[in-house]
Amino acid sequence: MKKQLEQFAAEHTLSRNGNDMYGSYNGYQVSIRWGGWSSASFYVGFHVNLGNKMNEVVNWLNVAQKKQLRIANVTIDGSGLYCIFTNMTLGSSLKKAHEVLYAVTEYLKMQGIPGDVCPYCGQPLEEKKLVEDNYCLFYAHEGCFNSKLSQVEGVESAEASMPNNYLRGFLGALIGGIVGMLIFWGLFQLGFLASISSLIGAVVGSLLYTKFGGKNNKMKIVIIASVVFVLTAAAFFLCYLQVVSDAMAQAGVYGSALEMLGYLLETDADVRGAFWGDFAMSIIFTVVGIVVVAMSMVRQQKKVSSGMKKHS
């Protein structure tokens, strides 16, 4: 792994900082961010000031080049343009990074976008400072960096001081959980058990939790995970009760479906095995869906300022 990174950095005249790289390539400040084997994403950054060409460049990447370069996502902020793609193996990711570096820098040249300017203000880099923004290294005016950092910290401070409405946030999570229940019920009728119901329930719950006034913190993850888990488990039992109720109706048997289910679980080994097997699978799929969304929420909770600092 180390040799692959060293070889790539040398071939592209980039400096290394652990698994990350930065420097000048084809006349433009670029960076590469890789979080190691635990990271599913590979970031290639172009630290330029796009000015009035921003929409044109983003559209070119999202429409004309996204499939050819196999880019999963394109983001842009004051520190530059970032192309993100899925990390499979380090070798394939570095090969794709080379293709992206060459294609984008050539396009920037064709558009007449300068590469020797501060990404924040677009002015020449007469005095420059090595800074880190979005966890990527590049050179910029120290004053411009300080200005952005101050703005980011101000926004984060304002968000931290806002009131947290747990009750309304819980209501949003509950609505999301109910959406997940309905999807689970629909799939169950078709004979499927899948994590998609808890995944969608958690996503909807997360959006509504914040929309209704809940803060994006650790308690949000606990509340959404708990609500989605409990409601998905409840949906499973309700679905089985419906199956028992329908079977009783077809057989002309009258009584409580709940009592009949309890009786079958106690006396019929086949029913007991099928019930607990399906329940175990439902729980596994539910946990998978919740974990996927929880990981996304954890990433969203990282402060932007934590990825910003000056280097000597």
Side-chain angles (χ1 to χ4, degrees):
M1 180 185 77
K2 185 178 179 181
K3 287 184 178 180
Q4 285 179 292
L5 294 172
E6 287 178 346
Q7 182 179 352
F8 185 92
E11 290 174 350
H12 296 77
T13 62
L14 301 178
S15 300
R16 280 188 59 210
N17 181 40
N19 291 334
D20 303 331
M21 294 175 244
Y22 68 96
S24 179
Y25 175 79
N26 207 9
Y28 290 89
Q29 285 202 82
V30 300
S31 64
I32 292 177
R33 177 157 65 92
W34 177 52
W37 299 118
S38 61
S39 175
S41 300
F42 215 88
Y43 291 73
V44 179
F46 301 88
H47 304 287
V48 296
N49 187 288
L50 297 176
N52 58 9
K53 296 286 185 75
M54 181 176 66
N55 290 335
E56 187 175 348
V57 174
V58 172
N59 287 337
W60 176 77
L61 279 167
N62 275 325
V63 179
Q65 296 295 313
K66 191 168 187 178
K67 185 178 291 187
Q68 181 176 337
L69 295 175
R70 292 162 293 168
I71 300 170
N73 193 21
V74 177
T75 63
I76 188 166
D77 65 11
S79 65
L81 172 76
Y82 298 90
C83 297
I84 307 165
F85 53 86
T86 304
N87 172 49
M88 300 300 290
T89 66
L90 180 58
S92 64
S93 294
L94 290 175
K95 181 180 179 181
K96 194 184 296 185
H98 168 76
E99 295 171 358
V100 172
L101 283 171
Y102 181 77
V104 175
T105 53
E106 284 296 309
Y107 179 78
L108 294 176
K109 276 185 182 179
M110 188 175 67
Q111 294 297 314
I113 296 171
D116 55 349
V117 298
C118 173
Y120 297 114
C121 68
Q123 298 301 309
L125 276 173
E126 296 172 354
E127 293 185 6
K128 58 186 180 180
K129 179 76 175 177
L130 182 62
V131 300
E132 184 174 341
D133 194 347
N134 204 17
Y135 299 98
C136 293
L137 289 164
F138 57 92
Y139 288 96
H141 293 143
E142 187 172 5
C144 293
F145 175 82
N146 290 338
S147 178
K148 181 183 177 182
L149 180 60
S150 178
Q151 291 175 7
V152 167
E153 289 176 337
V155 171
E156 291 174 348
S157 177
E159 289 177 349
S161 63
M162 289 174 61
N164 191 3
N165 196 320
Y166 284 115
L167 184 59
R168 292 176 63 182
F170 174 79
L171 178 60
L174 186 62
I175 294 173
I178 292 172
V179 170
M181 281 185 74
L182 294 174
I183 295 173
F184 184 96
W185 178 85
L187 291 173
F188 192 90
Q189 306 309 305
L190 298 173
F192 295 107
L193 294 173
S195 59
I196 189 67
S197 57
S198 57
L199 183 65
I200 294 177
V203 168
V204 174
S206 175
L207 293 173
L208 294 181
Y209 185 94
T210 304
K211 183 79 172 178
F212 286 9
K215 273 188 170 183
N216 188 17
N217 53 22
K218 292 180 181 178
M219 185 56 66
K220 172 185 176 180
I221 297 175
V222 172
I223 290 174
I224 291 173
S226 300
V227 168
V228 172
F229 183 87
V230 169
L231 290 185
T232 304
F236 174 84
F237 282 104
L238 291 174
C239 287
Y240 250 88
L241 282 177
Q242 183 187 9
V243 170
V244 172
S245 178
D246 291 344
M248 290 172 65
Q250 291 176 5
V253 177
Y254 298 95
S256 168
L258 180 60
E259 291 179 0
M260 178 59 74
L261 177 60
Y263 173 77
L264 290 172
L265 290 175
E266 186 176 345
T267 61
D268 193 316
D270 291 337
V271 172
R272 185 166 56 249
F275 177 88
W276 290 115
D278 286 347
F279 181 69
M281 290 300 295
S282 296
I283 294 301
I284 291 172
F285 285 137
T286 299
V287 170
V288 168
I290 290 173
V291 167
V292 170
V293 178
M295 289 173 64
S296 175
M297 286 190 284
V298 168
R299 287 194 293 269
Q300 291 172 5
Q301 288 173 9
K302 285 186 178 180
K303 290 185 175 181
V304 175
S305 60
S306 67
M308 298 182 67
K309 60 183 176 181
K310 289 182 282 189
H311 290 253
S312 55

